[in-house]
Amino acid sequence: MAAQGPSSPLLTPYKMGKFNLSHRVVLAPLTRQRSYGNVPQPHAILYYSQRTSNGGLLIAEATGVSDTAQGYPDTPGIWTKEQVEAWKPIVDAVHAKGGVFFCQIWHVGRVSNSGYQPNGQAPISSSDKPLTPQLRSNGIDVAEFTPPRRLRTDEIPQIVNDFRLAARNAIEAGFDGVEIHGAHGYLLDQFMKDQVNDRTDEYGGSLENRCRFALEVVEAVANEIGADKVGIRLSPFANYMESGDSDPKALGLYMANSLNKYGILYCHMVEPRMRTVGEKCACPHSLVPMRKAFNGTFIAAGGFDREDGNNAVAEGRADLIAFGRWFLANPDLPKRFELNAPLNKYNRETFYVSDPVIGYTDYPFLETTA
Ligand SMILES: Cc1cc2nc3c(=O)[nH]c(=O)nc-3n(C[C@H](O)[C@H](O)[C@H](O)COP(=O)(O)O)c2cc1C
């Protein structure tokens, strides 16, 4: 066994609310598009349990809150009884290995097309501004979006309620808590960001108004399941899916301060260097002001490796670090970080294929003799 100690801050324990985490290497939420018909599948039992360590925190892939929440093939949901039942053995497997498991609850808003919507209706958003077609991650296919329908003011409470019910269902399925997906240009972000939100009601205009919807979701979910089981993911600096903001720092700070009122467990922020989901860029901004403003656990994500993660924890820039692509390709990532072992490379081409094994559960573990 390699001796490790203070040189690996990522491998030190951390108490997140009532959860005693044995290290700070978090599985980032990763959409894998292998939940056929929006129902989590038995192959996810192996996938998540491979990535579980005793006392490790895992965040499940983005999971739809309702039948209008989808915009990609085969992403899981948590609004039907069948979906809740299908999550149970997956959650049980993570718990059996001592993991702490949060469900990321999600509504894509306008990042959809009528083919994913009930009765072929238009997707919903803060606005009726259409999204221009986007190149898919394979660099070949193009995703087409149907122009969205702007939600009426009186419809917003129904969507808030969908998040509340999804959170209740997540607890019913056995999850330890939920992460509200407020990042990456999806529905909540479509309200927060001034590049998208052009409303004139109390959900548009000022920063306070644009953040109202996300904060109503936070409040409803916290009231339903307890603030000690609620996290939120935000990406104020990202412009993914044409969701940029003219003053991302003010937005991030406003949210960090406002979240304190609800006493939620954690705030998970995406690094400013991640303007899109998978690519780093040079960037002068930092999350430190938001980290300082937020009273709960602060998780940072986006472009971290072992060294950068260790430095961020050592310097107090974050309590926990979420790893996406490295964890996808290295099921035993905490162990590899502990040993400073080499990492498997990730293969982008199999991120989103529907195969239940390839690029999913076939990444090798470290061969150890111990
Ligand atoms: C295959 C893939 C799927 C992703 N799915 C989600 C998702 O469901 N929810 C989310 O908030 N972010 C998602 N992301 C973003 C990751 O959680 C993470 O923030 C991003 O990969 C940057 O971190 P990394 O440099 O450690 O990979 C995804 C990224 C990848 C590569």
Side-chain angles (χ1 to χ4, degrees):
M1 292 294 267
Q4 289 298 321
S7 61
S8 286
L10 279 172
L11 275 306
T12 56
Y14 175 76
K15 192 161 162 52
M16 179 177 79
K18 63 183 173 189
F19 304 103
N20 289 310
L21 304 180
S22 63
H23 61 77
R24 296 152 188 262
V25 182
V26 178
L27 175 68
L30 293 166
T31 292
R32 306 308 314 276
Q33 296 184 204
R34 287 153 166 96
S35 296
Y36 316 134
N38 305 131
V39 179
Q41 298 293 307
H43 46 247
I45 297 172
L46 180 59
Y47 170 76
Y48 282 108
S49 70
Q50 283 180 334
R51 284 159 185 76
T52 305
S53 52
N54 192 13
L57 172 63
L58 295 83
I59 305 165
E61 64 211 88
T63 298
V65 297
S66 70
D67 62 355
T68 65
Q70 258 67 260
Y72 299 84
D74 296 330
T75 52
I78 194 146
W79 74 91
T80 71
K81 182 89 188 135
E82 184 189 10
Q83 292 161 343
V84 173
E85 291 304 314
W87 274 114
K88 286 183 180 172
I90 304 168
V91 179
D92 287 348
V94 169
H95 285 159
K97 289 180 76 179
V100 176
F101 203 11
F102 273 54
C103 183
Q104 191 186 50
I105 53 174
W106 183 44
H107 195 302
V108 297
R110 68 174 183 167
V111 186
S112 187
N113 67 49
S114 49
Y116 294 110
Q117 296 297 317
N119 309 314
Q121 69 191 36
I124 55 172
S125 183
S126 61
S127 167
D128 52 15
K129 273 192 261 177
L131 191 55
T132 47
Q134 311 270 324
L135 204 57
R136 286 212 191 274
S137 59
N138 63 10
I140 303 163
D141 299 330
V142 172
E144 302 275 354
F145 305 100
T146 305
R149 181 178 71 78
R150 182 196 308 273
L151 278 168
R152 294 191 315 270
T153 311
D154 67 306
E155 291 176 299
I156 290 179
Q158 296 168 30
I159 314 297
V160 173
N161 198 45
D162 288 339
F163 275 91
R164 183 180 68 78
L165 293 174
R168 179 201 282 182
N169 286 344
I171 299 302
E172 155 78 22
F175 282 103
D176 298 292
V178 300
E179 173 173 293
I180 297 162
H181 196 340
H184 296 153
Y186 297 114
L187 185 63
L188 271 60
D189 213 22
Q190 290 159 30
F191 276 78
M192 285 184 273
K193 300 285 182 64
D194 61 8
Q195 188 186 347
V196 189
N197 186 331
D198 56 357
R199 303 177 70 89
T200 53
D201 63 1
E202 65 262 38
Y203 293 93
S206 66
L207 187 52
E208 185 186 358
N209 281 357
R210 284 183 280 120
C211 293
R212 188 181 308 281
F213 174 52
L215 292 170
E216 285 179 356
V217 169
V218 169
E219 184 173 25
V221 168
N223 285 342
E224 181 67 34
I225 65 169
D228 58 339
K229 299 185 196 70
V230 179
I232 188 169
R233 191 171 219 214
L234 299 169
S235 60
F237 293 93
N239 60 7
Y240 189 62
M241 294 295 172
E242 294 168 15
S243 277
D245 196 82
S246 57
D247 194 351
K249 186 175 172 198
L251 171 61
L253 269 175
Y254 179 81
M255 283 302 290
N257 281 311
S258 305
L259 291 170
N260 288 334
K261 285 184 221 139
Y262 306 99
I264 62 169
L265 182 65
Y266 74 73
C267 177
H268 181 178
M269 273 206 195
V270 178
E271 284 284 332
R273 60 193 172 197
M274 305 305 285
R275 291 178 65 78
T276 69
V277 172
E279 302 298 334
K280 257 199 220 185
C281 67
C283 176
H285 301 290
S286 105
L287 297 180
V288 170
M290 294 87 186
R291 192 281 194 275
K292 285 194 178 140
F294 183 66
N295 294 337
T297 294
F298 196 82
I299 309 179
F304 283 95
D305 59 15
R306 179 181 184 271
E307 187 187 354
D308 198 9
N310 275 328
N311 290 340
V313 172
E315 291 160 18
R317 284 187 273 129
D319 299 304
L320 306 172
I321 307 291
F323 293 86
R325 290 161 293 175
W326 288 126
F327 221 146
L328 184 156
N330 293 273
D332 50 358
L333 190 67
K335 172 60 73 183
R336 288 180 193 244
F337 280 169
E338 186 185 338
L339 302 175
N340 201 10
L343 302 181
N344 300 324
K345 295 207 163 29
Y346 47 82
N347 179 4
R348 275 173 207 283
E349 277 159 33
T350 54
F351 280 177
Y352 304 110
V353 299
S354 64
D355 195 285
V357 176
I358 297 169
Y360 192 55
T361 51
D362 62 350
Y363 282 106
F365 285 75
L366 203 58
E367 300 217 0
T368 46
T369 47

